[in-house]
Amino acid sequence: MNQTIYYIIRFLLGVDRAGAYSSLIGYTSDVRLFHKYKVVIVPSGFFQSSVYGTPESLPQLPLKEIEGVPLLFGTPKEECFEETWVIYADIIASSYFLLSRYEEIQKRDIRDKHGRFPGKESLPYKAGFIHRPIVEEYGKLLRHWLRKACVHIPEPQPELQDIWLTHDVDAPFFCRSLRNICRETWKGAGLLKALKLYGGPLEKDPYYTFPWILEQDGKVQNKYGDRCHQLYFLKAGGRHANDKPHYQVRSNDIQKLLQLFRQNQVMLGLHSSYEASLCPDLIPEEKMKLEHDWKLENIHQNRHHYLASREPEDQTKLIKAGITDDFTMGYADVSGFRLGTCRPVKWINPMTRQLTSLTLHPLSVMDCTLSESQYMGLPLNEAFRYCLQLLKQTKQYGGEIVWLWHNTSFAETEKNSYHKTLYVRLLNALIQ
């Protein structure tokens, strides 16, 4: 547990030489130890064995605030004890609660139809700070308190770390198989249009928007260079109905898509299946299948299909499969900062309280979250303003952008008509 506390303090500091500065910060209620530190944060009792894992460990609404920042644990009190600045706002436990998804192990009975913990049931949403990376705000407070104690610590530069333009390839093609022809014949545009799409050039398929996506993302990469990453997540299994359609890996169309990815040197990751969210033991098998079928080496990035990372402890299966980076951590029903941070963070297992090797990349925006009526249902201009607000805060705190747009969202259909416009506007905001 001490390793976890030490990591959280360094993460909050968020500056070079964070390890050296962290030695000046104590997390203790023992007055006899206060003199060893410049700043002491007094524990709220959250980690006590009689409290942790019980209903009493959950924050109570309305939350208290300290200097305008919502406080999950402790009280907004600070005082000087001899030469030590003593803080009773437990920003360590507050950060841990968010970064570890602790809330989800205490509310296992709250899940949507896909087994996901809904964002609108979360504390960040109910307390009104889902759009704020308050872990970074805690870090700013901590640096402020160090300065009060005469420690000269700099502020991080307001600059984006990395930009992850990610795309889940759920359905690469609209009508390029016999099954698609049957679907369109009975429920869609009719047999003649289906045959025309099936037999025509791949570039005419409505879902084959990849050349356009690569062109748009390339403009951002030209601006930011190695800090901008184009990352596509590919399926490699799943027998659940929600895992359809399955790729025909040996087909000319898929091979052409793979060639396009290789030519543009994009990164490829595992889109672990819906079935694997029900049975996480399938993840290593799917990873090996993806590497074999697509002739890829050392896939180490993952995103769960449907964002269905069901239980926090399931992350251990990713680690055992050799996954080092996960990009699932966003809510499907509301955009914002699910983990309370806009920076990549090591996963803390809330069952064991241990720090792990898995890096979580906070997903702040997904296309359908913005537009679909069962989620946020925002019109174009409101969606743009909301995303721009998240972008500005991410830059302010030196975080990373992680956005998800599906290739199907750029299809020329009435339902998805605004996503091309929205995506271009957002990319232009990044570039400018």
Side-chain angles (χ1 to χ4, degrees):
M1 187 63 196
N2 287 338
Q3 181 191 24
T4 302
I5 298 298
Y6 180 60
Y7 174 78
I8 290 175
I9 291 173
R10 286 185 290 119
F11 187 80
L12 288 172
L13 289 170
V15 295
D16 293 338
R17 299 180 59 243
Y21 289 115
S22 65
S23 65
L24 305 176
I25 301 167
Y27 187 55
T28 179
S29 57
D30 190 341
V31 177
R32 296 170 299 176
L33 300 177
F34 283 7
H35 71 278
K36 296 174 61 177
Y37 307 104
K38 291 292 187 179
V39 170
V40 166
I41 299 169
V42 178
S44 59
F46 169 79
F47 292 111
Q48 293 178 3
S49 57
S50 60
V51 175
Y52 192 92
T54 70
E56 287 72 30
S57 65
L58 294 173
Q60 298 299 310
L61 294 174
L63 297 176
K64 299 174 183 177
E65 290 190 353
I66 180 164
E67 298 190 30
V69 182
L71 181 63
L72 279 58
F73 300 104
T75 184
K77 175 186 172 184
E78 47 188 283
E79 63 183 6
C80 189
F81 185 88
E82 296 178 352
E83 296 183 357
T84 302
W85 202 256
V86 180
I87 308 298
Y88 294 86
D90 192 351
I91 62 172
I92 305 298
S94 298
S95 298
Y96 175 99
F97 181 93
L98 296 166
L99 297 174
S100 68
R101 296 165 62 199
Y102 176 85
E103 181 176 30
E104 298 178 38
I105 68 170
Q106 289 303 300
K107 298 180 179 179
R108 293 192 192 273
D109 57 328
I110 301 177
R111 297 291 187 269
D112 67 10
K113 65 180 181 180
H114 299 297
R116 306 171 300 197
F117 184 68
K120 291 177 181 176
E121 291 292 335
S122 71
L123 179 73
Y125 182 82
K126 289 184 174 181
F129 63 82
I130 187 69
H131 61 291
R132 293 168 60 182
I134 68 163
V135 172
E136 273 68 62
E137 295 183 36
Y138 291 151
K140 187 174 182 179
L141 284 173
L142 182 56
R143 294 187 296 273
H144 171 65
W145 293 328
L146 279 170
R147 291 190 199 99
K148 278 189 172 183
C150 300
V151 176
H152 299 289
I153 183 171
E155 282 295 298
Q157 291 298 315
E159 185 177 32
L160 293 174
Q161 282 187 30
D162 284 282
I163 298 168
W164 294 92
L165 304 176
T166 74
H167 308 280
D168 293 354
V169 187
D170 296 343
F173 317 118
F174 177 73
C175 195
R176 301 294 290 185
S177 70
L178 294 178
R179 181 187 293 271
N180 296 157
I181 290 176
C182 293
R183 178 201 67 209
E184 289 304 299
T185 299
W186 294 105
K187 299 180 180 180
L191 176 60
L192 291 178
K193 186 172 182 179
L195 288 173
K196 185 176 180 181
L197 288 171
Y198 175 76
L202 181 58
E203 289 74 13
K204 295 293 185 181
D205 187 274
Y207 287 178
Y208 192 74
T209 57
F210 303 104
W212 182 85
I213 298 172
L214 290 163
E215 179 185 359
Q216 303 309 312
D217 291 357
K219 296 174 184 177
V220 181
Q221 198 158 39
N222 288 339
K223 165 79 173 182
Y224 288 94
D226 293 341
R227 282 192 291 155
C228 179
H229 314 277
Q230 300 181 58
L231 176 56
Y232 289 75
F233 290 98
L234 307 173
K235 297 188 295 184
R239 293 169 293 180
H240 193 277
N242 287 333
D243 288 317
K244 296 178 180 179
H246 298 113
Y247 304 155
Q248 301 299 319
V249 178
R250 293 182 178 83
S251 70
N252 290 334
D253 290 341
I254 285 291
Q255 290 303 310
K256 185 171 182 177
L257 178 60
L258 178 56
Q259 183 181 11
L260 181 68
F261 287 156
R262 285 174 173 163
Q263 286 173 347
N264 287 272
Q265 299 181 321
V266 302
M267 304 172 72
L268 300 175
L270 173 65
H271 199 30
S272 52
S273 68
Y274 192 93
E275 185 184 16
S277 67
L278 296 165
C279 182
D281 287 329
L282 294 173
I283 293 173
E285 176 186 328
E286 292 186 7
K287 177 178 177 289
M288 288 189 293
K289 187 175 188 300
L290 179 65
E291 291 170 339
H292 175 268
D293 290 353
W294 291 71
K295 295 181 173 56
L296 304 172
E297 294 183 4
N298 193 27
I299 290 292
H300 61 271
Q301 295 157 321
N302 173 77
R303 176 180 285 138
H304 282 72
H305 194 27
Y306 278 74
L307 301 185
S309 180
R310 293 166 181 263
E311 303 302 326
E313 60 269 34
D314 290 350
Q315 306 274 29
T316 58
K317 305 298 183 181
L318 293 175
I319 297 172
K320 289 180 179 178
I323 297 295
T324 61
D325 295 77
D326 184 74
F327 290 78
T328 309
M329 285 299 105
Y331 291 121
D333 58 333
V334 59
S335 291
F337 302 105
R338 179 176 184 173
L339 301 177
T341 181
C342 59
R343 291 179 291 149
V345 62
K346 294 295 183 184
W347 173 55
I348 300 166
N349 187 335
M351 298 301 293
T352 65
R353 312 190 202 188
Q354 297 301 305
L355 188 68
T356 74
S357 60
L358 180 66
T359 298
L360 304 179
H361 296 264
L363 171 65
S364 59
V365 176
M366 179 171 69
D367 47 11
C368 55
T369 303
L370 300 169
S371 59
E372 292 193 8
S373 57
Q374 71 268 33
Y375 296 147
M376 298 181 77
L378 299 176
L380 170 61
N381 288 335
E382 287 186 31
F384 177 70
R385 284 194 293 269
Y386 187 83
C387 293
L388 200 59
Q389 178 189 31
L390 300 180
L391 168 60
K392 288 179 178 178
Q393 294 207 60
T394 301
K395 181 180 178 182
Q396 176 185 347
Y397 290 107
E400 65 173 20
I401 291 292
V402 184
W403 289 343
L404 162 57
W405 258 265
H406 298 78
N407 58 294
T408 52
S409 290
F410 302 122
E412 296 295 340
T413 64
E414 182 177 350
K415 179 181 177 182
N416 297 317
S417 60
Y418 87 41
H419 279 292
K420 263 195 171 182
T421 302
L422 174 61
Y423 194 63
V424 169
R425 287 176 67 179
L426 288 172
L427 294 188
N428 285 337
L430 271 176
I431 293 169
Q432 294 169 6

